[in-house]
Amino acid sequence: MPACKMAEVESSGFISSSDNQSEKSDTDEKQIALLDDKTVLKGKKPEKVDHMADMARAYSSIISHVGEDVNRQGLLKTPERAAKAMMYFTNGYELQLDQILNEAVFDEDHDEMVIVKDIEMFSLCEHHLVPFLGKVHIGYLPNKKVLGLSKLARIVEMFSRRLQVQERLTKQIATAMVQAVQPTGVAVVIEASHMCMVMRGVQKINATTTTACMLGVFRDDPKTREEFLNLINKR
Ligand SMILES: [Zn+2]
């Protein structure tokens, strides 16, 4: 089972764009409305509109290149819809770990293993831009701090809604857990099915890929690791 190193935590770098965060606030909308036209052109909203139009044009080109008629009724709105869907599938870039953790890290003297298993995960393979999906199991051994349980699923979302490879996704979730609560150890296992394998190439419908990242005590102590693996395999 591959283990990744604690030392890599610092260099992992959580990609996020703080720019997009403010767009949702009401105050910002009002401020944009108050500005003159010139300033508005430099603002984020119009940029985002342009960028959706660019994406829709790109999808339109793809649709015609596969041999379809872009003017066929069923496809008329497809480029815009596809652009919106792609933005949704990749909205993890807009999330930041601090925001997710907001008021959900608690001081607690609990030092037994915490496991959340079967967290649903949907991501896009960065090599083919097709989905890979499956389940994430996260275990950690708290060190005076625990994280609200629902936040584990939010961390999974933050990293899975990006262009990904399963190995990196596994490691990013584990390092985010370290950043969040500095536990004695973290274990992350992902079992996923890749549409790029299922729908093309080898076409193995039931093939699943399992990746694991063990940090701290889960890496160093075979007993802890085994306990975790036994618990996640119990159905
Ligand atoms: Zn792929």
Side-chain angles (χ1 to χ4, degrees):
M1 192 146 289
C4 46
K5 299 177 209 94
M6 273 288 201
E8 281 160 1
V9 172
E10 278 173 10
S11 61
S12 71
F14 293 89
I15 312 154
S16 50
S17 62
S18 51
D19 289 6
N20 295 321
Q21 299 309 324
S22 55
E23 288 184 18
K24 281 154 201 155
S25 89
D26 268 344
T27 351
D28 258 27
E29 297 226 15
K30 277 173 206 147
Q31 274 168 0
I32 287 175
L34 288 173
L35 299 169
D36 59 65
D37 287 352
K38 250 186 192 168
T39 324
V40 170
L41 282 175
K42 285 186 228 151
K44 287 172 218 147
K45 291 256 163 183
E47 253 175 41
K48 194 153 189 173
V49 169
D50 285 352
H51 138 121
M52 290 301 282
D54 273 353
M55 280 178 79
R57 270 193 295 276
Y59 274 117
S60 178
S61 163
I62 291 169
I63 292 167
S64 69
H65 281 297
V66 300
E68 263 291 357
D69 171 10
V70 286
N71 296 314
R72 187 161 67 74
Q73 194 199 23
L75 292 175
L76 283 178
K77 294 239 156 147
T78 299
E80 284 78 17
R81 277 193 296 257
K84 272 189 201 156
M86 181 54 93
M87 287 311 287
Y88 181 81
F89 299 150
T90 56
N91 69 12
Y93 290 112
E94 295 179 20
L95 294 171
Q96 281 182 302
L97 190 62
D98 317 357
Q99 283 180 311
I100 290 176
L101 301 182
N102 190 28
E103 291 172 17
V105 176
F106 307 102
D107 295 330
E108 196 62 65
D109 242 351
H110 185 82
D111 61 356
E112 299 294 322
M113 194 181 295
V114 178
I115 295 180
V116 178
K117 64 179 193 179
D118 297 331
I119 301 169
E120 285 182 341
M121 179 280 297
F122 303 90
S123 191
L124 282 181
C125 144
E126 70 180 19
H127 302 135
H128 303 96
L129 300 186
V130 291
F132 67 96
L133 54 140
K135 297 206 159 143
V136 183
H137 315 293
I138 304 176
Y140 72 104
L141 214 55
N143 176 24
K144 300 194 171 68
K145 278 186 199 170
V146 295
L147 182 59
L149 292 176
S150 66
K151 301 297 178 177
L152 279 75
R154 290 285 289 152
I155 290 177
V156 170
E157 260 178 32
M158 168 178 173
F159 292 107
S160 57
R161 289 193 187 155
R162 297 179 182 195
L163 305 185
Q164 275 290 8
V165 295
Q166 189 178 328
E167 295 85 343
R168 185 173 64 233
L169 175 61
T170 312
K171 195 161 125 185
Q172 283 176 329
I173 294 168
T175 48
M177 285 300 296
V178 171
Q179 226 185 0
V181 288
Q182 298 87 46
T184 312
V186 179
V188 177
V189 170
I190 302 184
E191 300 167 297
S193 167
H194 290 247
M195 291 307 121
C196 53
M197 276 180 78
V198 174
M199 295 176 67
R200 59 176 278 287
V202 287
Q203 302 202 340
K204 292 278 185 252
I205 291 173
N206 295 315
T208 56
T209 305
T210 304
T211 47
C213 182
M214 305 281 167
L215 301 176
V217 72
F218 288 88
R219 187 190 50 185
D220 301 334
D221 177 17
K223 267 184 154 177
T224 310
R225 184 164 62 234
E226 202 178 314
E227 187 189 343
F228 169 73
L229 294 173
N230 284 339
L231 286 166
I232 64 166
N233 286 324
K234 237 181 235 166
R235 296 287 162 196

